[in-house]
Every structure is written in C-alpha cells, then in structure tokens.
Amino acid sequence: MDFSRYPAEPFRIKSVETIKMNTREERLENLKRAGYNTFLLDSEDVYIDLLTDSGTNAMSDRQWAGMMVGDEAYAGSRNFYHLRDTVQELFGFPFIVPTHQGRGAENILSHIAIKPGQYVPGNMYFTTTRFHQEANGGIFRDIIIDEAHDAAIDLPFKGNVDMNKLRSLVDEVGAEQIAYVCVAVTVNLAGGQPVSIANMREVYHYCQQKGIKVFMDATRCVENAWFIKEREEEFKNHTVAQIVKETFSYSDGCTMSGKKDCLTNIGGFLCLRDEDLFTDAKELVVVFEGMPSYGGMAGRDMEAMAIGLREAMQEEYIEHRVKQVRYLGELLTDAGVPIVMPVGGHAVFLDARRFCPHLEQSQFPAQSLAANIYLEGGVRSMERGIISGGRDKKTGKDHAPKLETVRLTIPRRVYTYAHMAYVAQTIIKLYKHNKDIKGLKWVYEPKQLRFFTGRFEEI
Ligand SMILES: Cc1ncc(COP(=O)(O)O)c(C=O)c1O
C-alpha cells in the first residue's frame, strides 16, 4: 500500500458490527424477492453496503457522548443553539432552520422561493430537489457544462455551471422568471464532481447584477472543499474550513442534508441570509417538520450534527475520505472497468453503457448491473440512470439521461481499504462475464421517485 497516495485511517475502531456473507443461491432468492431492486433488499442479506453514503456514517466517540447531553425539550433546546452557532460560524449564514433531513429543507425552500411557472436552473438535477421544485410549480433547467454528461471526459471541475447556458436562459425568459439558481457542491449524479470557487464567483456576481438569488445544495460541501484545495491554485494553502466558508459567501442560502458531510445518521437544515425569507421558512417549518428549534430532529441528533460538522472539517479526516473513494476507483480503472471519470467525492460510478454494451438503455442496464453486482459478491449499490431519471411530467416520457450509471457509494468512516479491494475484485470478476447480465422490464412502476420502490423482472 502506497501511504503517500492513500493515507491510513485517521481513526481507530472502538465498536464493531458483524457482517456476514451468504451463498449465491440465497442471494438469487433475495434478489427475486426484491424485484431486482437493491433498495428492496434487507440489510442483513448484504455483505458490503454501498447503497448510499446518506445516514450511513459511523459516528465518533465524541458524537455519541454528545447524544447523552440531548436536551429533549419541545422548544428552545440547548442543542439547537449549539447547532445554530456552529453552522453560523462554519457556513457564515445568519439564519438557520433545522429540518428532519435534506429534502425537508428543499421542500421549504421550494415553497418560499418559487412562484408557479418560474424556472430553477441547476448544475444537473437531483431526484428529491427536482421533485420539490416541480411540486411547487418550478421548471428545472440543466445548466451544467456539457462534459458532465460524458462519463469518459476527465476534468478537474466537472460540476461547474456553464455560464453561457445560464445567460441564454435569463435572456430567453427574463430574470424575473428565474426563481433562483441552484448550485450543488458536489454534483451527485454527475459522479460526485466538484464545482470551483472561480465558477461559483462568476455565477454569483452575474446573478447579483440580474437580481437573481443563488441557493446552494450544500450536501457534500466539505468534499467539494477538499477538491478545491487539491485542484484550484488560489486555495492550495487554505484550510478546508476556510474554503467551505468562502464557498457559501457566493450564495444567498443553502439546503443541507446532514446525513452526509455532518457525519450523522439523520438531520438537515436550511440556511438563509434574507430575514423575510427566514420568517416565511419558520412559518412553514412548524407545518412540515416541527418547532423552529428542532425541525423534526431530537435534541441529541442536533448535538451529534453540530459535533460532526466540525469533525468533517478536519484535514486528516477529509483527505482519507476522498482518497479511500479514489482507491476503489483506481483499482477498477487499472483493471479496465469503465467508470465515470474523474472519481468523485462520495462514490465511484460505473458506466453501465460500456459495462453492458449488449443492452439498450430501455432494458435498464444500470438497474440490472446493480442487481448482478449483489448476486456476484453480496455488494449492494444503486442505479443512477434512466430509472432514477423518472418521467417528464408533461409528456409522460422517460427522461433517459446520457449518464447510465451504477453508484458504489462509500459510507464515511465505516469500511476499510480491504473492503474496497473486495468490492473491486467482485466487480472485476463480473466484468469478465458481463454478457451474462440480462435486461430488465417493469413489474411495478411507482408514480414518484420510482427508483426507491419499483419492481422488475428479467427479460
Ligand atoms: C445532492 C443531494 N441533495 C439532496 C439530498 C437529499 O437529502 P436527504 O436524503 O437528507 O433528504 C441528497 C441525498 O441523497 C443529495 O445527495
């Protein structure tokens, strides 16, 4: 192991959870019962669980200690003030509204900031984010650079906004028809790709001239900051915490899923700069989430989140985190397995179009590849392609994204390099007999967010 390339874990393990492997016959049985949807597998039947990095983090001894000082008062919990003060200090926003998780914040933001018929340009869609925008009458427009839709192109900031796309949308519909610009840092569905500070600055300055607000999806802002430190000359001597603060200085607020870069298992929040919007958000949080001092979280969860957010900014932690993901990606590319390049912050994305060249997108290659990875070695991943894309609300047609991928998402502080090597070995083995992967067809297609609970069978 080259430790200069892949630093050893900056933690030692105090508590463990047993995982076990089952037989191929059992896995086939489980897969059929789950309708070839890895979301419908039982956790007990999975050996290495790379379904998501959301809420699957291992908490530290300090976070667990923090849970013991949870103040479970209905209103005015001291843990809320700890969380609020931490977020104010680290993100630089004056107003914070806690929510049960990220989509709770997206729901409130979409309610208060979108008028029906307005556009919401964003650097690629995200499932829950677009759902809430559309549910509130917004029209999503993708303004990410074209290269982000091509799995093979290797660029340092593949999550950047294309300024020409943003400018031409504003020229076409008028600034008053733009609800706000949504900038995600990093971009999940592009492969966890980062956005540069230079790009954020340009977007924000342009939007300020036009009177358009910018809200960020802050979900993986610490991972984004690490890439900026690595790749953007101006910031190579900055701390990750300084870069995170700089990031948010180019926005009017953000939504945060605490289940990722806050190193917790549940929680989220909405940040705002504008006091009137804050008042509107507080009126809604009591309807959807709970009092403005807990927003759907227990006091102990807010405490764990406040501590976790600070831990996430430690350089040793975030360097190991990003490089462990890169290690898995490099094992796969060294063996010729096609993945989305470059490797992003939270996951390695397999390029299912090239992994299964014998399948059409209408045969759901990524959904089937995820199912077959489980069958091959008990590793759970998820589809990020045509199934996740959903249908167009107006035409009813599939969105059919260019990227047809399987996401191997690495939980934070949970697995070791040996686990990554096992995952790589399983996938390399499967790639050698990729032609055995069959296409799938729908058995049950849910109307919303169909990837979570949809069921399939082999063609
Ligand atoms: C980029 C991004 N935004 C928003 C969300 C929604 O957050 P949550 O799952 O906490 O509701 C997620 C979660 O997967 C995400 O990856």
Side-chain angles (χ1 to χ4, degrees):
M1 192 93 189
D2 178 356
F3 293 115
S4 64
R5 221 174 145 64
Y6 308 117
E9 284 73 12
F11 49 81
R12 53 187 176 187
I13 297 163
K14 190 176 287 203
S15 174
V16 297
E17 189 182 355
T18 304
I19 49 176
K20 68 176 195 319
M21 178 65 105
N22 44 20
T23 64
R24 190 179 177 92
E25 291 67 40
E26 286 168 333
R27 293 199 292 276
L28 184 59
E29 214 26 61
N30 297 335
L31 208 49
K32 284 185 180 159
R33 213 173 36 239
Y36 290 85
N37 186 347
T38 51
F39 275 100
L40 301 180
L41 290 167
D42 287 339
S43 157
E44 289 216 323
D45 296 328
V46 173
Y47 179 48
I48 308 275
D49 202 345
L50 306 186
L51 183 70
T52 175
D53 63 328
S54 182
T56 52
N57 305 308
M59 292 209 297
S60 69
D61 49 357
R62 281 161 205 262
Q63 285 176 291
W64 282 108
M67 297 209 54
M68 292 304 290
V69 294
D71 171 1
E72 307 307 341
Y74 189 80
S77 162
R78 68 172 168 263
N79 311 116
F80 167 67
Y81 296 117
H82 184 198
L83 175 63
R84 185 198 61 185
D85 295 350
T86 306
V87 176
Q88 280 174 342
E89 180 196 325
L90 296 175
F91 285 18
F93 293 114
F95 304 116
I96 285 96
V97 182
T99 58
H100 76 285
Q101 59 185 81
R103 68 199 72 182
E106 291 168 353
N107 179 30
I108 294 172
L109 178 66
S110 301
H111 262 87
I112 61 176
I114 301 174
K115 293 196 198 89
Q118 280 186 320
Y119 288 83
V120 193
N123 52 345
M124 203 173 263
Y125 86 99
F126 183 72
T127 53
T128 57
T129 320
R130 189 179 66 193
F131 176 86
H132 285 296
Q133 291 164 355
E134 289 177 348
N136 285 283
I139 305 162
F140 170 78
R141 265 293 178 91
D142 189 3
I143 53 163
I144 201 166
I145 54 171
D146 283 341
E147 292 86 339
H149 292 280
D150 188 326
I153 296 178
D154 194 337
L155 280 181
F157 291 105
K158 222 173 156 183
N160 277 357
V161 168
D162 182 331
M163 286 305 299
N164 289 333
K165 286 185 189 169
L166 174 58
R167 281 197 198 94
S168 59
L169 177 65
V170 175
D171 291 346
E172 179 194 327
V173 302
E176 62 297 338
Q177 272 304 98
I178 308 286
Y180 56 89
V181 175
C182 178
V183 180
V185 291
T186 59
V187 184
N188 186 347
L189 298 192
Q193 304 296 340
V195 180
S196 69
I197 292 280
N199 188 247
M200 296 176 206
R201 260 189 206 136
E202 206 180 348
V203 171
Y204 194 53
H205 291 156
Y206 170 77
C207 286
Q208 278 190 317
Q209 281 164 22
K210 295 283 177 185
I212 299 168
K213 287 205 166 7
V214 175
F215 290 105
M216 288 190 172
D217 180 339
T219 297
R220 296 182 182 84
C221 60
V222 187
E223 289 167 10
N224 199 81
W226 176 261
F227 286 116
I228 288 169
K229 189 178 168 76
E230 265 188 346
R231 299 175 185 176
E232 208 167 350
E233 182 64 24
E234 185 187 338
F235 295 95
K236 68 174 191 236
N237 296 322
H238 284 53
T239 64
V240 164
Q242 285 169 331
I243 300 171
V244 167
K245 194 126 179 212
E246 176 98 11
T247 296
F248 294 120
S249 71
Y250 304 113
S251 72
D252 298 288
C254 71
T255 54
M256 178 71 173
S257 167
K259 300 168 72 176
K260 284 83 167 175
D261 275 356
C262 291
L263 297 173
T264 50
N265 306 119
I266 195 70
F269 51 84
L270 169 65
C271 294
L272 296 162
R273 245 183 245 297
D274 180 295
E275 193 157 8
D276 291 338
L277 278 180
F278 178 52
T279 304
D280 294 347
K282 276 195 298 186
E283 284 175 15
L284 282 180
V285 78
V286 292
V287 179
F288 292 118
E289 307 281 323
M291 282 292 283
S293 60
Y294 76 86
M297 282 182 283
R300 55 180 170 269
D301 295 325
M302 292 189 280
E303 189 65 23
M305 204 151 80
I307 298 169
L309 190 53
R310 215 174 271 287
E311 286 181 1
M313 309 263 174
Q314 288 165 3
E315 312 271 319
E316 299 79 10
Y317 154 76
I318 186 64
E319 179 179 10
H320 170 265
R321 157 73 178 155
V322 172
K323 292 187 175 173
Q324 188 190 43
V325 175
R326 194 171 295 161
Y327 173 70
L328 173 59
E330 289 179 357
L331 290 179
L332 292 170
T333 47
D334 287 351
V337 175
I339 66 169
V340 174
M341 294 299 289
V343 177
H346 67 304
V348 174
F349 286 65
L350 301 175
D351 182 357
R353 287 182 190 272
R354 281 184 291 151
F355 202 112
C356 309
H358 56 292
L359 297 179
E360 297 294 324
Q361 194 175 26
S362 58
Q363 297 171 304
F364 312 149
Q367 185 74 30
S368 189
L369 176 54
N372 277 276
I373 291 169
Y374 172 71
L375 184 62
E376 187 76 28
V379 176
R380 170 152 71 170
S381 56
M382 80 150 86
E383 187 264 8
R384 280 300 185 214
I386 189 166
I387 306 297
S388 295
R391 290 181 187 272
D392 184 287
K393 277 217 155 165
K394 273 203 191 121
T395 65
K397 287 209 177 108
D398 283 326
H399 276 301
K402 256 182 104 180
L403 287 178
E404 178 72 19
T405 65
V406 166
R407 194 180 77 180
L408 302 156
T409 339
I410 319 301
R412 296 169 185 79
R413 304 192 293 206
V414 172
Y415 293 116
T416 63
Y417 286 106
H419 289 121
M420 296 302 107
Y422 172 81
V423 171
Q425 202 181 73
T426 301
I427 291 165
I428 293 164
K429 248 168 63 192
L430 178 62
Y431 189 49
K432 289 190 177 136
H433 63 101
N434 58 348
K435 295 283 164 13
D436 295 340
I437 299 171
K438 296 194 180 77
L440 297 175
K441 61 180 186 202
W442 286 108
V443 173
Y444 159 61
E445 182 185 349
K447 287 182 207 64
Q448 280 107 26
L449 300 178
R450 59 188 186 173
F451 57 95
F452 281 128
T453 53
R455 301 183 70 84
F456 307 84
E457 66 186 16
E458 282 189 337
I459 297 170

